[in-house]
Each structure stands twice: as C-alpha cells, then as structure tokens.
Amino acid sequence: MRQKLQLKGDISLSQSAIQRRNSNQRQKSPIQGRRLFQSHVIQTPLSQQYGQNQQQIQQSQQQQFIQGRSYSQSNVVFNEEVPQKWPIIQLPFFKNTEPTIFFQYPPVCEDKRPLVNARPMTEEEIKKYSLTCKVLGSAPYKCVLTSFDWAGFKRIDEDDEDEEWNVQWGIGNKTTLRNMNRYQKINHFPGCWNMGRKDLLWINLSKFKRKYPKEYNFIPNTYLLQYDYDRFIMAQESAQKDTLWIKKPCADSRGRGITMVSKKSKVKKDKNFLIMDYIYNPHLINGFKYDLRVYVLISCFDPLRVYMYKDGLVRFATQKYSTNSKDLTKRYIHLTNFAVNKLSPNFVKNQNTQKDDEGSKWSHHAYRKKLDELGIDSRELFNRIKDVVLKTCIATEPFMLDSNAKSQEHRNGYFELYGFDVLIDENLKPWVLEVNVSPSLNSSSPLDKKIKTSLISDVLHLVGVPLWDKNNQKISSPPKYNQRNIKEIPNINTSNCLNKLSQNDFNMLIHTVEEVKRRGKNFSCVFPNPKTIHQYMDLFEFPRYNNKLIERFYQDRCNWLSRFN
Ligand code: ADP
C-alpha cells in the first residue's frame, strides 16, 4: 500500500505581502533600528521579477544536483539590491519542506550570495520569527557576530535562560543539549573532542591504521607517553642518529609546550604529552616550511555529511628551513603556528585582500596559483587532502555516534567547523598533524577577516537555520525510528521507493539534497559525494542504514525524490 507522506513546514507568504514590504522602503533595521536600505535600493517590484532573468534561472537549473534534474518548482533568481541586515528566507527546493534563514555576506566579504529561491521577510514575519543567537564567551569572534548581524539576528545575553535562541555558538552544557528542540542549532557535537584532542585523534586513527595500513598512513606515527613510553625509548635507542621527533602536549594549542626531540634528547614519562614522528622533509616555498589550515564542516554524523571549504590559510614559518642539529630549538624554523611566528622579527603582515600571496599568511587561492606556477597539479593535491580529511572523519564516526546516541533526536541540530592542520611533504603527500575543534577565527589582517567572515556566513547558510515561531509553533516530538532493514536497501528503486521508504527516510534524503544545494560556491561536498561515495563505504567500521540508503539513492540516479515531490 502506498504510504502517506507528509513533510513538516507550513510557511508560505503571499505575493501581496512581499509587495507591501517593498513599497515601504524606509523601514528600520530589525536589529539596530536604523535605516536599512541603500539609498534607492529596490527599484523593481519582486512580482515583476518572477520569470525575469531567464538566463540566470536556466543557469541555476543547469547546476542542478547530480543528474541535472530539476526538483525545484520555482528556482527564482531575485535581481534586486540586497537590503542591509534584513532577514531573508531561503525557500526550500522541494515542495512542503522547511525554509531556512538566508545569510547575507557582510561587506567585508566583498561578495554577494545570490538570491536564488530566497525572499526578504515581511515585517510581520520578522516579529513572528524573531531571530536570536547566543554567542558564548567574553570576547566572541567578530566574524561570527557580523555574520549573525547581517542575517538579521539579535544577540541575546549569555546568561539569559528565558529567551529562546535559534543558534548557539559555543559548547553547550548538558542541560542546554537536553532541552534543545528541533528548531535550534548548536555549533558543537557532544564528543567533538574525539577528533579535537591530539591523543584521542591518535587513538581513533591508529585503530584504523592497524586495520587499513595503506589507507591510513597519513598521520605520523605517535607515542602517547602515558602508555607508550617504553616503546618510544626502544624506538629512540634503535633509530638512526639523525632521526627527529616532535613532543607536544595532548590538549594544548598554538604551539605551546612543543619541543623537538632527537636521538640524544632525554624524554621523561609525562602523561600529558605525546611524541610524534617528525616530518623532516616538508615541501618548501621559497625555502620556508608551511602548513595548511583546512576548514572542514561536519553537519551530521548519521548520515555522515562532510564539506571542505575552498579557501583557507597557508601559514609560513619565518626562518628558512633546516634540519641542522644546531637549529633544532629554533621555533621559527620548525613551527608554522601564527601564534609563534607573529613574534618573529621576520613576520610580514598581509595588508591587502587583493594580494593574498604576500606576507607570512597566504590564502589557499594564492597557494594553488603558486603550485600551478611551480608545475604542481594543485587540483590533485587538494583531492588528496579531501581524501585524508574524509578518512579522518570516518575513523572518528563510531566514537562520535556513541557520544550522540543519547541525543538521536538532535541528529540535525549540531554542526561542527573543524580546522585541520595539514602538512605537505616534498613528495606532495598530505599529513594530518591535528584537528582543531574551535579553530581560531581571530582576524589579524584584512585577508584573514575576509576569509573567516565568508566562512562563517557560509557555514550558517549551509547548515540551515529553520524558521521557528517561538510563541505558536508546536514543537513536534522527535521522530521514532522504526526497525530498518539494511539488507533491503539494494532492492529499492524508483518504482518501489514510495512503498519501501518511510517518511523519515525521505526527510533524510531531502535534507541531504537541500543542504548540498545551500553549500554555495565555497564549500565542496566531500561526503556523500555521488562520484566517490562507493570508494569509502567499506572503510566505515559499521555499515549505517542512512549512509547505505544515500549510496543506493545515488546509484539509482536520484529519481526517488521526484516521485515523492
Ligand atoms: P598546536 O596545536 O600547538 O598548533 P600542532 O600539532 O599543530 O600543535 O603543531 C604545531 C606546528 O608544529 C605545526 O603547525 C607544524 O608546523 C609543526 N609540526 C607538528 N607536528 C609535526 C610533525 N609531525 N612533523 C613536522 N612538523 C610538525
């Protein structure tokens, strides 16, 4: 029997409401109460713009997900100037699914997010959906505040327990996590430290390294001094005389407490430290060592959804590279941390966003250009980076799901922006040195500011903050997960999917597709990616129903949702 399928979400806005909003060009900003439109902004009524700009509409339809198949009922491209800081609704691409909040780029990004399938909120809607964020910490990152501000969010006090927030930026305590509802988002997963602490990362990855030594040879061999002290001493004694290691605190950052270790060094047993093989042959640019800060967004662990940001930072050491034993204590040679090198007399600050290959910090964009000049295939290198990033996520997935198990209903409520530190060696092999849970979003230069503000705006746009009428909207109870038979998945196809899939299955697939569509031009989808998903499925410790279903969905050419829509 055909199942009755219904998706949540009841938000619709009449065309006349949009026009009413347009006719009132001198409205106040919902956030700051000041005038908000640039002098003469909206010149054409939105209604006239429906059906206009056919070329743009066609282009966006051509970029349709995977098969070039259009699920969208109205891929309307609005052509107007964007009102400043005015809340905008990102309409879903599927009928009857939930709209989300559109994140406008603040001016520092020097870019505009295209208003495709999006429209400004009416004044009534602004009141109804009052958008609020809670940003924890006494010195919050400016790029986070600006991104919220430009999307029309009001910041509420950290200690305010009464007012409901749409998004919390900052690690949530147990009560917060327990009381979260399905309209709320928080930027950390419970258990995020499984990847973010150096010792836990090694514990998780080494397990996979033993199982798949070839696939997992991208993390340097590591000794946790608490457990592996004797093993390290033996390795040190039998090593060749010029062998090097690097000793680091398990849970610190910014280069603090890091020292180089040679065959002659005396190492004490200290449970707070680990020792890692030193990658002695880094790829150099102009004679300097560098590493890459790669931003990786995980929006869900079940199904696993991983995105990599196209831009990021390249951090250079400030003294020419050498492995000479006299230079072993020179941190400006061996460490590439900004926090270390900014103190060096040779540190050169970037002053201009247009010159992103100047100074001691570059953008990935400039780095790729440099590689291409050197005759190195930068595309191939970044594909290798994607590969190691994804394998890292797959290795931590069982631990993350374990930590998330008690909060299954919040499957889509968490997201995490990780900062991967990747070192490239002279053979152009990427090594994962560590993963940062709260990568620094401080901006020390205009280039930093531009990259980081665009990044945060893109993260929030991608994860999709749903509209929530805090006064009236009934909070639905979490979906019940019925027994699902993973063995049935290979038999699902376009003709039987309506019978075989549950509403939860369809919701999950639609959510996945909608999210990919919101990723914009800066995020690439690492997983689930239709082109590469098969390559990685066998690496997962346990086959998961949702991942398998997505794989099958891609394999069957993604036609299921057109039946559903
Ligand atoms: P922190 O969290 O303190 O930044 P990292 O693990 O990122 O610690 O190490 C700091 C810097 O030390 C890196 O940016 C890199 O330049 C250098 N480094 C760390 N591990 C290695 C290694 N195994 N081989 C070579 N250089 C390393």
Side-chain angles (χ1 to χ4, degrees):
M1 203 180 70
R2 188 174 266 219
Q3 276 173 292
K4 205 170 168 202
L5 296 162
Q6 233 184 7
L7 286 180
K8 293 164 198 136
D10 55 357
I11 293 122
S12 62
L13 185 79
S14 70
Q15 196 64 6
S16 58
I18 301 176
Q19 280 164 354
R20 264 204 315 282
R21 207 278 295 148
N22 283 341
S23 65
N24 183 2
Q25 291 194 10
R26 291 153 70 92
Q27 294 166 70
K28 302 260 172 142
S29 156
I31 308 129
Q32 297 180 325
R34 62 177 151 85
R35 292 232 175 118
L36 65 116
F37 293 127
Q38 290 149 358
S39 46
H40 38 270
V41 193
I42 299 181
Q43 290 143 347
T44 327
L46 291 178
S47 57
Q48 284 175 24
Q49 292 180 13
Y50 276 101
Q52 272 193 354
N53 207 345
Q54 281 304 325
Q55 200 189 343
Q56 270 175 294
I57 297 172
Q58 273 166 13
Q59 271 172 8
S60 81
Q61 283 174 341
Q62 278 159 12
Q63 292 160 4
Q64 288 298 324
F65 189 65
I66 317 154
Q67 304 289 314
R69 181 180 183 88
S70 172
Y71 302 119
S72 167
Q73 298 302 298
S74 55
N75 251 1
V76 181
V77 180
F78 292 109
N79 201 13
E80 63 182 310
E81 281 290 318
V82 182
Q84 291 178 6
K85 303 185 179 182
W86 189 265
I88 298 174
I89 298 180
Q90 175 68 62
L91 300 167
F93 291 87
F94 288 89
K95 270 195 289 185
N96 300 326
T97 54
E98 285 184 322
T100 53
I101 302 301
F102 181 98
F103 279 77
Q104 286 190 59
Y105 285 125
V108 60
C109 303
E110 300 170 6
D111 199 0
K112 275 192 174 169
R113 192 183 305 288
L115 279 165
V116 181
N117 255 17
R119 61 157 183 79
M121 276 194 194
T122 60
E123 278 185 279
E124 300 91 89
E125 284 176 319
I126 290 173
K127 283 194 203 113
K128 185 171 167 191
Y129 299 119
S130 68
L131 302 174
T132 50
C133 59
K134 203 177 234 194
V135 185
L136 307 188
S138 53
Y141 293 121
K142 197 141 186 264
C143 58
V144 174
L145 297 180
T146 324
S147 297
F148 278 121
D149 189 25
W150 275 77
F153 280 70
K154 189 181 111 212
R155 184 177 174 202
I156 59 171
D157 200 77
E158 191 171 324
D159 305 318
D160 189 342
E161 297 293 331
D162 299 329
E163 204 166 339
E164 309 262 27
W165 43 267
N166 297 72
V167 187
Q168 173 168 311
W169 195 275
I171 290 185
N173 58 30
K174 276 196 181 135
T175 325
T176 309
L177 298 182
R178 200 175 33 244
N179 295 337
M180 261 175 83
N181 68 51
R182 70 174 201 86
Y183 298 103
Q184 294 179 300
K185 295 260 176 194
I186 196 161
N187 75 323
H188 291 288
F189 285 93
C192 53
W193 297 105
N194 277 306
M195 223 190 269
R197 268 184 66 122
K198 295 180 181 72
D199 48 353
L200 296 183
L201 180 71
W202 170 249
I203 290 172
N204 294 336
L205 282 179
S206 58
K207 202 170 148 193
F208 275 66
K209 197 171 177 170
R210 279 193 298 277
K211 203 163 159 192
Y212 307 110
K214 268 199 189 146
E215 301 282 353
Y216 278 83
N217 63 357
F218 56 83
I219 177 143
N221 194 29
T222 300
Y223 305 85
L224 304 181
L225 289 182
Q226 182 173 14
Y227 309 109
D228 308 323
Y229 180 76
D230 295 340
R231 207 160 58 78
F232 172 70
I233 296 297
M234 272 163 58
Q236 193 186 29
E237 275 167 14
S238 56
Q240 292 188 349
K241 76 172 187 333
D242 51 356
T243 309
L244 294 173
W245 297 268
I246 186 163
K247 182 175 162 211
K248 313 181 196 182
C250 299
D252 212 337
S253 60
R254 301 162 151 234
R256 282 180 292 231
I258 297 187
T259 47
M260 299 291 294
V261 173
S262 70
K263 198 168 156 61
K264 289 191 208 140
S265 312
K266 292 258 173 295
V267 175
K268 282 204 216 122
K269 186 169 182 171
D270 186 335
K271 68 174 175 23
N272 298 316
F273 281 80
L274 56 78
I275 289 190
M276 205 182 232
D277 286 356
Y278 190 68
I279 309 300
Y280 65 92
N281 58 344
H283 182 252
L284 306 178
I285 289 187
N286 304 327
F288 292 94
K289 178 176 171 177
Y290 63 87
D291 77 349
L292 305 179
R293 166 57 55 87
V294 179
Y295 296 107
V296 174
L297 173 65
I298 303 187
S299 61
C300 191
F301 272 96
D302 181 22
L304 183 64
R305 292 201 290 258
V306 183
Y307 302 85
M308 192 167 113
Y309 208 58
K310 291 202 176 136
D311 215 340
L313 297 166
V314 184
R315 291 122 14 128
F316 284 90
T318 40
Q319 244 179 291
K320 292 222 167 171
Y321 189 66
S322 136
T323 46
N324 197 313
S325 57
K326 290 199 300 281
D327 295 329
L328 279 189
T329 51
K330 295 187 178 153
R331 289 160 69 80
Y332 299 148
I333 293 181
H334 293 283
L335 304 193
T336 50
N337 303 74
F338 167 70
V340 171
N341 285 284
K342 72 176 178 187
L343 306 173
S344 155
N346 299 335
F347 185 82
V348 181
K349 192 170 164 177
N350 176 285
Q351 305 285 5
N352 184 343
T353 54
Q354 301 309 315
K355 298 197 173 145
D356 51 1
D357 61 348
E358 263 182 20
S360 304
K361 235 189 218 184
W362 290 10
S363 70
H364 283 189
H365 169 256
Y367 172 64
R368 283 172 184 246
K369 225 167 87 192
K370 180 72 183 177
L371 292 183
D372 292 337
E373 273 167 32
L374 294 172
I376 295 170
D377 185 346
S378 60
R379 210 185 147 90
E380 168 59 22
L381 177 68
F382 275 82
N383 280 339
R384 284 185 205 163
I385 296 174
K386 272 187 199 159
D387 177 68
V388 299
V389 160
L390 178 54
K391 285 173 178 160
T392 306
C393 300
I394 291 175
T396 41
E397 183 251 24
F399 303 90
M400 291 304 300
L401 284 183
D402 206 33
S403 311
N404 281 217
K406 292 158 215 99
S407 47
Q408 172 62 271
E409 68 268 28
H410 300 138
R411 195 183 60 195
N412 292 312
Y414 309 121
F415 60 95
E416 188 95 41
L417 178 66
Y418 285 107
F420 277 62
D421 286 350
V422 178
L423 188 80
I424 310 298
D425 73 16
E426 64 185 5
N427 303 314
L428 303 173
K429 172 183 154 86
W431 294 87
V432 172
L433 297 183
E434 70 150 347
V435 181
N436 292 278
V437 160
S438 298
S440 166
L441 296 172
N442 273 330
S443 301
S444 63
S445 66
L447 177 65
D448 244 9
K449 212 183 218 174
K450 180 178 165 182
I451 293 178
K452 289 172 179 172
T453 312
S454 311
L455 169 69
I456 297 305
S457 177
D458 285 336
V459 164
L460 292 166
H461 190 77
L462 184 152
V463 298
V465 180
L467 301 188
W468 174 23
D469 176 354
K470 292 164 190 158
N471 295 320
N472 295 318
Q473 212 150 18
K474 217 176 120 239
I475 306 228
S476 53
S477 49
K480 296 261 177 302
Y481 288 88
N482 302 327
Q483 276 287 322
R484 301 172 303 177
N485 188 353
I486 201 165
K487 293 201 183 115
E488 263 291 296
I489 290 178
N491 304 325
I492 303 176
N493 55 43
T494 313
S495 35
N496 66 17
C497 64
L498 281 182
N499 292 332
K500 295 220 180 246
L501 298 183
S502 70
Q503 183 170 322
N504 282 336
D505 293 332
F506 271 110
N507 283 348
M508 185 279 290
L509 290 172
I510 287 175
H511 201 108
T512 303
V513 175
E514 289 272 355
E515 196 177 85
V516 170
K517 278 180 166 285
R518 286 195 303 266
R519 79 191 186 287
K521 61 183 187 327
N522 294 327
F523 269 116
S524 57
C525 180
V526 181
F527 192 89
N529 184 313
K531 290 196 189 125
T532 54
I533 188 166
H534 310 297
Q535 256 166 264
Y536 294 96
M537 291 306 278
D538 289 342
L539 292 180
F540 283 83
E541 186 166 24
F542 304 105
R544 309 271 179 204
Y545 180 88
N546 284 336
N547 292 335
K548 283 271 177 202
L549 191 62
I550 294 177
E551 185 193 24
R552 176 73 197 127
F553 167 67
Y554 287 154
Q555 207 178 35
D556 201 38
R557 309 176 77 81
C558 320
N559 289 331
W560 308 350
L561 300 183
S562 58
R563 299 290 313 272
F564 176 67
N565 214 22

